[in-house]
Amino acid sequence: MTGLEAKTIHRLLEFDPRTRGFKCDSENPLPHTAIIVDEGSMLDLFLAYSLVKAVYLGAQLLLVGDIDQLPSVGPGQILADLINSGRVPIVRLTQVFRQAKTSAIITTAHQINRGQYPTIEPISDTPQSDCIWHGGGHQPEHGVQAICELITDLIPRLGYNRATDVQVLCPMTRGVVGTRNLNTVLQQLINPPAPDKVEINRGGNLLREGDRIIQLTNDYNREVFNGDLGIILTIDTVEQEVTVQYGERTVIYDYADLNEIALAWCVTIHKSQGSEYPVVILPIYMQHYMMLTRNLFYTGLTRAKKLAIVVGAKKAISLAVRSTNDQQRYTRLQQRLLHAGLH
């Protein structure tokens, strides 16, 4: 869009795996006069500190983010504290570009943020909305069946490719409707075994040519990073190598490094933050009760560009909308900013 190369903050600051530190800092600042950081709500205390240290005096730092999404995995709530302090200039963007102006995804997201039970169109053979609800039964096993039926029936009828357009997002990895089990089920459904597809089993994880995978760690040598999605192109059992397509790049993994990747037909909502998909299927069940919060629900739903399908019982959806417990983070950044005399 801008013609400029985008980088992760770790790449920008030149992370050194040997020292576990950054080469760019206050003594070796970045040469840029303006730095734009997207998904600012994901900045934790340590990464934000390292970034600010490396911005030279007089340069501009612009943080773009949504404080209604999930906070950073690490400590702090940098973006929220900066906004709430009133000590930095703020511009609120009100025009939505990811979804259409009349999108029910947007309406539903606003209802969730207000703590209201969302008004979502029940599923039908001819849905009129871009945000629909499938009751999916009260038991998690029924949810798995509902997701499979959606992918094999409704999704293709609506003109979407089940292998490339659909992303299932879960609150948790464990359980019947967790990512581990659903990945096994969806792999068999979307990318079943075939005579012309090579597959390998490493540590109990079955990988097959054509599988969608996710990078689990930052790999600075291969330049693939935590959360990157790719497709397995080839598995060479002679050379013991797996070739993965990431966008326009191909990356080769030795068998010994396959612990860096995992199936991604289904990923956690946390892993999806910062991404977007044409179609999102979002199972919400009481099995996930420990993770069900308003901002988790909001984040998962707003990953959808064209169609969001919520699968689950009303009780679980209601719990997710009501719960804001995980938003309580006790930091002193806001107070320090208030007393710092910033202008």
Side-chain angles (χ1 to χ4, degrees):
M1 184 180 294
T2 63
L4 300 175
E5 182 185 7
K7 297 181 179 180
T8 64
I9 296 176
H10 283 76
R11 283 185 65 198
L12 179 69
L13 300 181
E14 298 182 33
F15 180 77
D16 188 341
R18 293 173 300 174
T19 64
R20 307 300 297 175
F22 297 104
K23 295 180 181 179
C24 294
D25 53 21
S26 55
E27 296 182 0
N28 180 34
L30 296 165
H32 313 292
T33 57
I35 299 170
I36 301 174
V37 178
D38 195 15
E39 299 295 341
S41 63
M42 298 173 69
L43 272 177
D44 67 20
L45 188 65
F46 302 116
L47 191 56
Y49 174 67
S50 298
L51 174 63
V52 172
K53 269 204 313 182
V55 178
Y56 76 80
L57 191 63
Q60 290 184 314
L61 176 62
L62 173 63
L63 302 181
V64 181
D66 184 349
I67 60 172
D68 292 320
Q69 291 187 28
L70 292 167
S72 59
V73 175
Q77 48 183 21
I78 302 300
L79 186 65
D81 283 343
L82 287 171
I83 292 173
N84 294 332
S85 73
R87 291 293 192 177
V88 295
I90 299 169
V91 175
R92 297 188 183 275
L93 306 179
T94 57
Q95 186 173 353
V96 178
F97 291 94
R98 176 173 291 163
Q99 299 91 5
K101 290 182 179 180
T102 57
S103 170
I105 297 173
I106 299 172
T107 305
T108 304
H110 289 329
Q111 289 177 322
I112 293 170
N113 270 343
R114 291 194 296 265
Q116 300 172 352
Y117 190 92
T119 306
I120 310 178
E121 178 185 318
I123 192 166
S124 66
D125 290 336
T126 56
Q128 303 301 307
S129 173
D130 63 353
C131 186
I132 57 181
W133 169 63
H134 188 309
H138 293 286
Q139 299 302 318
E141 292 80 5
H142 300 150
V144 174
Q145 182 180 350
I147 291 169
C148 291
E149 290 173 355
L150 288 168
I151 289 175
T152 55
D153 181 25
L154 181 65
I155 296 299
R157 280 198 291 109
L158 294 179
Y160 296 107
N161 186 316
R162 66 180 189 174
T164 58
D165 292 336
V166 182
Q167 184 63 62
V168 180
L169 302 179
C170 284
M172 297 177 65
T173 58
R174 299 188 301 274
V176 177
V177 280
T179 59
R180 291 173 188 165
N181 182 59
L182 278 173
N183 267 316
T184 301
V185 173
L186 295 176
Q187 180 189 48
Q188 186 70 19
L189 181 69
I190 301 173
N191 188 38
D196 60 338
K197 292 180 182 177
V198 181
E199 60 183 51
I200 56 170
N201 196 317
R202 300 287 293 181
N205 295 317
L206 180 66
L207 296 175
R208 182 177 296 133
E209 291 177 345
D211 274 337
R212 182 188 302 164
I213 59 92
I214 186 170
Q215 175 74 20
L216 300 175
T217 60
N218 291 328
D219 188 328
Y220 297 94
N221 294 323
R222 294 186 177 90
E223 293 193 342
V224 285
F225 302 96
N226 186 8
D228 287 352
L229 293 178
I231 300 293
I232 295 179
L233 293 181
T234 61
I235 298 176
D236 189 330
T237 56
V238 177
E239 297 294 331
Q240 295 195 335
E241 293 178 341
V242 175
T243 302
V244 177
Q245 181 88 41
Y246 289 102
E248 298 180 355
R249 295 179 59 236
T250 56
V251 174
I252 297 176
Y253 295 85
D254 297 324
Y255 276 14
D257 297 326
L258 290 181
N259 61 333
E260 292 188 11
I261 63 175
L263 286 175
W265 300 113
C266 176
V267 300
T268 62
I269 296 172
H270 281 83
K271 285 285 187 184
S272 76
Q273 190 161 351
S275 301
E276 59 182 23
Y277 317 96
V279 180
V280 164
I281 298 177
L282 189 62
I284 302 289
Y285 278 86
M286 289 305 295
Q287 186 182 61
H288 307 138
Y289 77 95
M290 292 182 63
M291 297 293 293
L292 294 181
T293 59
R294 186 181 300 172
N295 56 2
L296 186 90
F297 192 6
Y298 170 86
T299 302
L301 187 80
T302 54
R303 300 309 91 202
K305 292 177 63 178
K306 297 180 179 179
L307 177 65
I309 306 175
V310 179
V311 178
K314 290 184 177 181
K315 181 179 179 181
I317 294 172
S318 179
L319 175 63
V321 170
R322 295 195 314 268
S323 178
T324 59
N325 291 340
D326 72 329
Q327 294 176 0
Q328 299 300 318
R329 291 195 172 195
Y330 299 99
T331 76
R332 290 192 56 80
L333 177 58
Q334 182 179 337
Q335 289 81 359
R336 290 186 176 189
L337 289 169
L338 287 170
H339 291 94
L342 297 177
H343 298 287

